Amino acid sequence: MLRRLIVIVTAAILFSNSLTLAQTKKPKPPDQFPPSPLEITTPDPLLPRSPKDKQPLTVQEQQKLQPALDTLNQEAAAKLQGGDQVTAFEIWNRELRLRRFFGPFAEVQALSRVGAIAWKQNNGEEVQYILQRLQAIQKQAKSQKKTAQVDLELWRSLAQAYQDVRSIKLAVEAYDQVLLVVREQKDPLALVEILETMGELHLTWFDYTKAAPVYEELLGLATSQGEHIKELTYLQRLAYIYEQTEQPQQSLNVLNRLVKIYVSENNLTKIPELKLAIASNYESLAKKDPNLLLEAFNNYQEAYTTAWQLLEYVRAGEALQKLIALYRSQGQIDEALQTSQILVQTQTQAANLYGVMQAYDQIGQLHLERKDFPQALTAFKKGLKIAQQLKYEEAYFTGQIEKVSKAKL
């Protein structure tokens, strides 16, 4: 018993000592992230002085260093082509460190070039290094007061560099700075150029909310300056934006302007498509204001009429389908039937047998709603004949005929 007690006490003392040791021993710090290779300051044999020396290179020193950096770029490209991506980016990083001695503008251009390659190679680590360096340059540019022209060039290159590494938010921030300078300079050509770039950037990344005011401003500028072609382009962009963002009233404003322009030019080929879009927007607005349904009807009819005159039977058929659906939603079965008969003729003109077959099916369904079984049966039989020609949906029409025949009895 005594021996057992000694063992227990001894074990307790050892456990206590080990616990005390564990409590007093400092935990190891977590592994530090490796420093960016773009921030290494070890001496480079290509430099005439230490990288820690902030003194800029003379023109002669830059001229001497330039060919060596171009050679490094070529060597890195060759390594990458040979499949050695690690060595390639080691060489490029060395080049980028040395490009810093040519000033921020030259450095950003080099960062942009290598960043585009890194993104294409899916090298996320390298992209982050480049982003960090670009942001450091951006921060420095904000803190320094330079001439507007120098600022403009640097901010343009920063914006492009961010685009090259697909950092769209930062690219937009850089373009905002460019826009400020351009507005101060009151340079209308530069203003349009930057706004167009920003608009395209927003559209590319589906940011329609930010794209809309940009193109609205561009539209205002084009209209005031009588730039007819650009006015059309911006209206088309806005029509697409407001369609994507489901803003029917804004869309109507743009679409109606487009119609007026095309009509004034006697260019009617675009009218049916525009009228269809206008009618669809009125339908959306009619959910809150039923009085606008009449505008939807009128525009669908105009779309059909214009398309028929232009011999665009497919577009005419599309307008008729929309009209039929609208009539049915309002319980106007007679009007829907009359329009369906016109649809048969239109689809026949378009040589669209499938469309004709669908039109007969629609007529049959409308007659069924009225419990006009003989007429429904006639329509389904006509649909079956076409289905047999197409060898498509024969069973469906056969089933409809059987169903109506039983109901008729």
Side-chain angles (χ1 to χ4, degrees), residues 334-357:
D334 288 343
E335 289 81 356
L337 273 168
Q338 292 171 8
T339 308
S340 295
Q341 293 293 348
I342 299 171
L343 180 61
V344 169
Q345 300 171 19
T346 304
Q347 300 290 28
T348 302
Q349 287 289 339
N352 182 3
L353 282 180
Y354 180 77
V356 176
M357 181 185 73

Side-chain angles (χ1 to χ4, degrees), residues 129-141:
Y129 293 145
I130 289 173
L131 268 175
Q132 289 169 10
R133 182 57 194 155
L134 287 171
Q135 287 176 287
I137 296 171
Q138 179 176 332
K139 185 178 180 180
Q140 186 179 15

Side-chain angles (χ1 to χ4, degrees), residues 146-315:
K146 297 183 179 180
T147 64
Q149 184 61 35
V150 172
D151 275 346
L152 188 59
E153 290 176 357
L154 179 58
W155 283 106
R156 278 178 185 270
S157 63
L158 276 168
Q160 183 58 56
Y162 285 133
Q163 277 185 261
D164 287 336
V165 292
R166 306 307 190 270
S167 183
I168 303 307
K169 183 181 178 181
L170 290 171
V172 170
E173 288 178 9
Y175 277 125
D176 282 337
Q177 293 295 322
V178 175
L179 199 56
L180 285 173
V181 177
V182 169
R183 289 190 193 282
E184 289 174 2
Q185 292 178 342
K186 296 182 180 180
D187 183 343
L189 292 178
L191 177 60
V192 169
E193 180 190 348
I194 295 303
L195 287 172
E196 285 182 341
T197 301
M198 294 181 73
E200 289 295 333
L201 187 61
H202 291 314
L203 283 183
T204 300
W205 292 91
F206 311 107
D207 195 342
Y208 303 116
T209 303
K210 290 183 179 177
V214 173
Y215 281 108
E216 287 286 4
E217 182 175 356
L218 283 168
L219 176 61
L221 291 170
T223 303
S224 64
Q225 294 167 7
E227 294 280 351
H228 177 65
I229 295 176
K230 285 190 173 183
E231 183 182 4
L232 273 176
T233 299
Y234 302 145
L235 283 169
Q236 289 164 355
R237 292 278 199 284
L238 285 166
Y240 173 75
I241 289 167
Y242 290 135
E243 179 187 1
Q244 296 301 310
T245 52
E246 297 181 354
Q247 298 184 69
Q249 188 57 63
Q250 289 86 339
S251 183
L252 278 172
N253 297 338
V254 172
L255 292 169
N256 280 315
R257 282 185 65 174
L258 281 169
V259 168
K260 286 182 180 179
I261 291 172
Y262 287 126
V263 169
S264 67
E265 296 176 343
N266 199 28
N267 180 6
L268 302 182
T269 56
K270 297 283 187 180
I271 301 303
E273 180 183 0
L274 291 171
K275 286 290 182 180
L276 282 170
I278 289 170
S280 178
N281 282 304
Y282 274 123
E283 267 199 86
S284 297
L285 292 172
K287 293 174 184 177
K288 292 184 178 180
D289 184 0
N291 294 324
L292 294 175
L293 270 179
L294 181 59
E295 293 293 338
F297 277 115
N298 291 339
N299 278 281
Y300 280 136
Q301 288 170 345
E302 288 179 31
Y304 161 71
T305 303
T306 308
W308 181 271
Q309 292 171 348
L310 295 169
L311 308 181
E312 293 181 3
Y313 300 117
V314 173
R315 188 73 72 184

